[in-house]
Amino acid sequence: QLQLQESGPGLVKPSETLSLTCTVSGDSISSSDYYWGWIRQAPGKGLEWIGSLQYSGRTFYNPSLESRVTILGDTSKNQFSLKMRSVTAADTAVYFCANTKGEPFYFDNWGQGTLATVSS
Amino acid sequence: QSALTQPRSVSGSPGQSITVPCSGTSSDIGAYNYVSWYQHHPGKAPKLILYDVSKRPSGVPARFSGSKSGNTASLTISGLQADDEANYYCCSYAGSYTFGLFGGGTKVTVL
């Protein structure tokens, strides 16, 4: 059973970089056909897709966030990460990592989420 | 792209059927059959309940069904149960590798 667990600092200062990691157990992030993604939910708001990492290393980003976001995979640790630069209070959210196999248009396996707060 | 449009809330009595609409455009829902739905109980991980408009993942009851007409997708929950009370989000491919355009979410209340 594939399991995902988010981790990272709960508090980030405005204008700094938010860094989160998703640790995967149960399969390799480089296994064929997998897509690994980040989704967030700001307080009182809906879900927002941030971006996805294909098993090959190719990345895909939400156009509204693309200029500030980088998703990378680390096969040695079987993790993938999210870096979001120049954060503001509007980036305060619960961040979920998730994955799917085959089609990149949905996520059928999710982590529990981690709250990241942007505040000075 | 703008978020997909969902009603803020829908309610129904146990045993009834309810439908949650999700409105998009000809560039997302209208263009692709890549609509998915998620059930989200606050504080928990979202759960995929429908994908490719109307397909159910293993383990999701047949009470959950999906459809699409034009630029609008719909989630129908039949035989409403107390545990169905949750937030529901639609999601669509929006082209140009924008894999996940979500709706704002609908709170389903079981009266």
Side-chain angles (χ1 to χ4, degrees):
Chain A
Q1 173 75 8
L2 200 67
Q3 290 189 320
L4 295 85
Q5 180 65 58
E6 305 88 349
S7 60
L11 183 63
V12 184
K13 290 182 168 54
S15 81
E16 294 190 344
T17 296
L18 167 66
S19 296
L20 297 175
T21 298
C22 183
T23 300
V24 178
S25 58
D27 208 340
S28 169
I29 65 167
S30 60
S31 291
S32 190
D33 290 340
Y34 275 126
Y35 289 85
W36 309 92
W38 288 98
I39 302 97
R40 69 179 181 179
Q41 183 178 33
K45 305 279 189 176
L47 298 172
E48 181 180 30
W49 174 70
I50 300 170
S52 295
L53 170 70
Q54 190 186 42
Y55 65 94
S56 64
R58 187 178 180 185
T59 51
F60 308 87
Y61 298 115
N62 186 325
S64 68
L65 298 170
E66 185 167 14
S67 63
R68 299 194 292 128
V69 168
T70 301
I71 296 175
L72 292 174
D74 184 340
T75 54
S76 67
K77 296 180 180 178
N78 213 36
Q79 297 174 333
F80 63 103
S81 64
L82 169 69
K83 291 190 186 301
M84 183 176 291
R85 297 172 290 278
S86 304
V87 296
T88 70
D91 296 310
T92 294
V94 174
Y95 286 77
F96 297 97
C97 61
N99 89 298
T100 188
K101 188 165 188 175
E103 294 184 350
F105 311 113
Y106 56 85
F107 295 100
D108 55 7
N109 194 26
W110 293 63
Q112 289 298 309
T114 186
L115 174 63
T117 301
V118 179
S119 175
S120 55
Chain B
Q1 302 92 342
S2 297
L4 305 176
T5 301
Q6 298 180 237
R8 290 288 294 243
S9 64
V10 172
S11 61
S13 299
Q16 285 186 331
S17 293
I18 61 167
T19 295
V20 180
C22 171
S23 178
T25 70
S26 57
S27 298
D28 39 68
I29 291 177
Y32 308 97
N33 288 322
Y34 295 129
V35 178
S36 54
W37 289 88
Y38 298 85
Q39 178 190 65
H40 189 205
H41 289 102
K44 294 193 174 183
K47 176 185 177 182
L48 178 71
I49 56 173
L50 292 169
Y51 65 99
D52 293 352
V53 177
S54 60
K55 297 177 181 178
R56 284 187 308 276
S58 174
V60 174
R63 302 187 296 106
F64 294 89
S65 61
S67 63
K68 189 186 90 165
S69 178
N71 299 335
T72 299
S74 297
L75 162 70
T76 297
I77 308 176
S78 306
L80 201 60
Q81 298 180 1
D83 191 50
D84 298 334
E85 187 161 294
N87 295 305
Y88 290 83
Y89 295 90
C90 60
C91 183
S92 175
Y93 178 56
S96 300
Y97 301 110
T98 299
F99 293 143
L101 181 64
F102 282 92
T106 297
K107 180 174 174 56
V108 168
T109 301
V110 181
L111 301 172

